Amino acid sequence: MTDNTWTDHLSHWRTFLSEMLITLDDVGEQIKVERQLKTIERVSYAAVLNPKVLIEFINPTDGSLPQAEEYDYFLNLNDSQKNAIKIALGNNALSLIQGPPGTGKTQVIAEICLQLYRKNPDVRILVCSETHIAVNNLISRISEYDDSIRIVRIRDKEQNSSVDKFSPEEIISTYIEWLQINCISQDAIDIISENLSDHEDRSLEKALALSANIAGMTCNRINAYEFESSSEMFDVVIIDEVCKATLPEILAPLTIAQKAILVGDPKQLPPVFCSEEIDVIRSIEKCNLQNYLYIEDLFLKSKNVSVLDTQYRMTNQIGKLIGDLFYDGELKNGRNIEGENSTIWVDYTSSELWPRYEANRVEKPKIYNLDECRIITSILKELDDNAEILTSVAVIAPYRHQAATLQGLMQKEHFRCLNVNVDTIDGFQGKECDIVIFSLTRTVGSFRFLGDVRRLNVALSRARDKLYIVGDLSYAVNHRILKRIADYCVKINSDTHLGFLSRNQ
């Protein structure tokens, strides 16, 4: 990236955030945007704790990968995972790990943290992500392996039983209980307890984060604190799901890192802008925030990139579909379960065109498909009748209104053995289920939104054992990538004729 490109891109973000600040009514959102603007300003003036991290982020060096020592690993890892860990722990300010679906990136992050802790019991590691779910998953996994590691999980208002014990509230409560047992002076206990009772005290949260070996929080939460000197720097910052984060969200942890490790997959979902944000972007002259995603460029240009190449989530049949469609056939199958008939296209003849286009409509049509809702309900009932054990099912739709319609239908159903979760594609990134039912929804109109290969990658790669794609084939074959998926379903099931199921309305 040239200096001008970087300067222009940062300027576009500053303008966008400033414009958004004017339009926001919610105080919490205003505070978040104000903090992001402050991060942009700090980076503009290179006011960061380790400039080497920022320099490598802006303009990756052309040097060869640094050599790292051999390790006695804590976890069972494949060669690509070991290689990623060696590069991440090498003598470089910034490294990147690409983790396609099911390739064990959480396992790799846990191993990196364990290695860092073994080398230095006083190490400070910040693990963060754009979402709370990703941070909770990381904290939960790391805590499984060594209970001597000091961990703090700084949250907002969300709860999660698996990480509750690492919250500041629980840590403080445990400490006060210890005081009650070990301190003789009740006055001292009362004074200390009173000083620690303010759970909204940002300075206390910051102190806990800096005293822990591993601190977990979202990227945006970092902006709630002032980290002002090298003594308040984290030795290593790990950003998970980095390709789904916006530039201000990525920059916040980079400003306080001695060393940074970015983990994500540029072939899965990018940041998603809401309609109001898109309107602001379009109002800014020559603004490229939607089209130019800097983190994707970094994965292409940086020399310190490693790729996890073996997936352990999907059957071989589903894994080959994902590997061929999205990863140039280079994604290996590590689960080694063939999974006969595990990819099925459910074709049907639609009763009408979806979405409905009503006369004199002013607003955009709500995109849903009642035919597919009925078919999916039928499939779920059949699966439930045949299930022998509790089975998790994800019903995924690309459009909010279709997901909402399906959710309403599911509330009326009672399944004996199925745990059914309905959401949009964006809501399922980072999750997995035994069975996925994907509702194509459209039978007419533009395929642009749904045709984003990154969005399709996420939708189709959530399934462990079986993938149903419900869609009108006469519509789908007009679009290159959907036709490839349909052809694959036929080809791999040609002997049993189960590539397609037909449902009549």
Side-chain angles (χ1 to χ4, degrees), residues 372-404:
E372 291 188 12
C373 289
R374 287 189 286 268
I375 290 169
I376 290 168
T377 302
S378 174
I379 292 171
L380 288 168
K381 289 179 179 178
E382 290 177 14
L383 288 171
D384 194 46
D385 289 341
N386 296 322
E388 296 179 356
I389 59 173
L390 185 63
T391 303
S392 60
V393 182
V395 178
I396 303 178
Y399 304 103
R400 289 194 195 97
H401 199 74
Q402 177 72 347

Side-chain angles (χ1 to χ4, degrees), residues 10 66 157 198 349 390:
L10 213 60
K157 295 180 181 179
D198 184 4
T349 301
L390 185 63

Side-chain angles (χ1 to χ4, degrees), residues 96-99 242-243 262-266 294-302 305-306:
L96 298 97
I97 300 172
Q98 181 180 353
V242 69
C243 296
L262 311 185
V263 185
D265 184 7
Y294 176 70
I295 193 66
E296 294 184 11
D297 205 39
L298 187 62
F299 267 90
L300 289 173
K301 292 181 178 179
S302 176
V305 178
S306 53

